[in-house]
Amino acid sequence: MTTADTYTIADELSAIDYCYEQGWTDGLPVVPPARERVERFLMAAGRPPEEVVARHPATGRACNVQSAAINAVMAGCLPQYFPTVLAALEAMNEDAYNFHGSTASTGGSTPVVVVSGDIRDEIDMNASVNVFGPGNRANATIGRAVRLIIMNVFQMIPGVSDRSTTGWPGKYACCIAENILNSPWEPLHESLGFPPEVSTATVFAASGFYNIENHYTSNPEALLDTFADAMASLGALTDGQSLVVMSPEHAEIAASGGMSRQDVQAYLFEHADRDRDTMERIGKWPEGQPLDGLAERPFDMSENRFHRGRSADDILLVVAGGEAGGHSAFLPSWSRGRNSIYQTKAIGVCLDC
């Protein structure tokens, strides 16, 4: 679905079935994209329908504002969500994100959309209890709109061009908001260099979800060692980037010793590592390969250590989730190496909301 073709269907239930027949769904029913619905989204965006917001380098397909609006309607979005969908697409369009690899690889990634800024409250996103779970329309449908666009516009079809070995439920939709009200640190978008009044969408290509549980310690370093251990899991360890979603309870403990967001990132980078012998033994680094000339690899040249990522800046640290509970999350990047870098874009103003 790359053009605004018009179809005449007897009723909405028949239209839902028609969408199934055309292969335009993710397996769940979609909202029929009636013309008047799509037009409301275009008015909210305030951008020309034909303006291209993202291209897929391998398929050669382009997504314009109108195609994005059609799929956002199908996903169940409201018009006021649409600028966030567009910002996510623009982030994915950056070369460093690797749009094709992240949608085609056996690694089975999903674009995790992290929203920071006042728009969170303006469109009533969930940043608190059950932040990765069901129950919030904005979170669910923004993430789903991105997936439908990947499938319907860019034709990255599961089992055909999307070659995920196992996939994971986040591939239906994965969109969260930052819980800045219960965070001890500055908002994510400000830490990334955006003005306080500008809301942002950050997109991270994640391959899965690790629950990090620690209910018992109040020691910042002991808590962060729990995170670092998960991040250095042999099943997940690469030099790719990381998304760490820290619950407010864990964030307060981490900050209680005076640690800033940057201090936490630095600690995790330093301690989320393995020795070279272990990496060679499990086959994640060719045995006997010399360290000479490996500046592009995350080894500590003096200690023969392999780190998660190449610097502390490779850890995207976000506070989100319920105020109570010693549970946080680590999401590794999708590839076996460093093939996707998270991207952030400003979210435009909804002009007709």
Side-chain angles (χ1 to χ4, degrees):
M1 182 192 302
T2 58
T3 61
D5 297 329
T6 300
Y7 304 87
T8 302
I9 312 288
D11 56 70
E12 288 207 341
L13 288 178
S14 298
I16 292 171
D17 288 336
Y18 184 80
C19 290
Y20 270 118
E21 293 163 5
Q22 302 307 307
W24 294 340
T25 86
D26 50 10
L28 299 171
V30 294
V31 176
R35 183 186 299 275
E36 59 273 15
R37 289 194 181 114
V38 175
E39 288 176 349
R40 287 199 293 271
F41 278 62
L42 295 175
M43 292 174 63
R47 299 167 66 169
E50 66 278 5
E51 179 186 347
V52 172
V53 292
R55 300 179 185 274
H56 197 281
T59 65
R61 292 174 174 265
C63 179
N64 59 31
V65 174
Q66 182 166 264
S67 295
I70 291 169
N71 283 273
V73 170
M74 294 170 68
C77 288
L78 294 176
Q80 54 264 41
Y81 306 167
F82 191 43
T84 303
V85 174
L86 294 177
L89 287 172
E90 289 171 332
M92 295 167 65
N93 194 52
E94 293 292 332
D95 289 344
Y97 180 79
N98 192 351
F99 201 170
H100 175 64
S102 65
T103 54
S105 168
T106 55
S109 82
T110 195
V112 181
V113 181
V114 180
V115 174
S116 176
D118 292 342
I119 197 169
R120 174 196 66 248
D121 296 326
E122 294 169 9
I123 62 176
D124 196 27
M125 292 190 72
N126 179 26
S128 184
V129 177
N130 199 44
V131 69
F132 277 103
N136 179 275
R137 183 172 184 173
N139 292 38
T141 61
I142 291 169
R144 190 188 187 200
V146 171
R147 175 56 56 187
L148 289 178
I149 290 166
I150 289 172
M151 294 174 62
N152 293 334
V153 179
F154 298 116
Q155 291 294 291
M156 301 307 297
I157 308 300
V160 182
S161 43
D162 175 351
R163 304 301 297 175
S164 301
T165 302
T166 60
W168 63 292
K171 284 176 69 92
Y172 280 97
C174 201
C175 176
I176 67 171
E178 179 187 23
N179 189 344
I180 190 57
L181 297 178
N182 292 284
S183 171
W185 302 306
E186 76 281 6
L188 175 65
H189 67 284
E190 292 184 37
S191 75
L192 295 175
F194 289 85
E197 67 275 11
V198 174
S199 296
T200 62
T202 299
V203 182
F204 177 89
S207 65
F209 186 102
Y210 284 61
N211 182 62
I212 299 175
E213 179 273 320
N214 192 328
H215 287 82
Y216 306 109
T217 188
S218 59
N219 180 285
E221 291 188 353
L223 174 68
L224 293 178
D225 285 343
T226 309
F227 282 78
D229 182 74
M231 295 168 67
S233 162
L234 292 176
L237 186 57
T238 71
D239 62 336
Q241 294 186 315
S242 306
L243 172 57
V244 174
V245 180
M246 191 172 284
S247 66
E249 183 173 307
H250 280 165
E252 288 295 338
I253 294 171
S256 65
M259 279 188 166
S260 66
R261 181 197 301 271
Q262 293 72 27
D263 292 334
V264 171
Q265 291 170 300
Y267 188 96
L268 292 177
F269 174 73
E270 180 182 353
H271 292 83
D273 68 337
R274 292 277 186 157
D275 63 85
R276 176 181 174 171
D277 289 344
T278 298
M279 298 299 286
E280 287 183 341
R281 177 178 60 79
I282 66 168
K284 280 204 167 184
W285 189 256
E287 184 175 357
Q289 182 166 336
L291 288 176
D292 295 343
L294 293 182
E296 293 302 312
R297 303 299 297 179
F299 279 103
D300 184 306
M301 304 295 277
S302 61
E303 299 179 7
N304 286 359
R305 306 295 295 181
F306 189 102
H307 292 266
R308 174 84 214 176
R310 295 183 185 167
S311 74
D313 290 338
D314 277 340
I315 300 171
L316 181 61
L317 177 61
V318 181
V319 176
E323 291 73 56
H327 295 277
S328 294
F330 158 57
L331 290 84
S333 56
W334 66 273
S335 70
R336 74 187 70 178
R338 187 181 177 79
N339 294 326
S340 181
I341 305 300
Y342 71 79
Q343 300 294 316
T344 303
K345 293 292 182 180
I347 298 172
V349 177
C350 184
L351 297 182
D352 189 50
C353 301

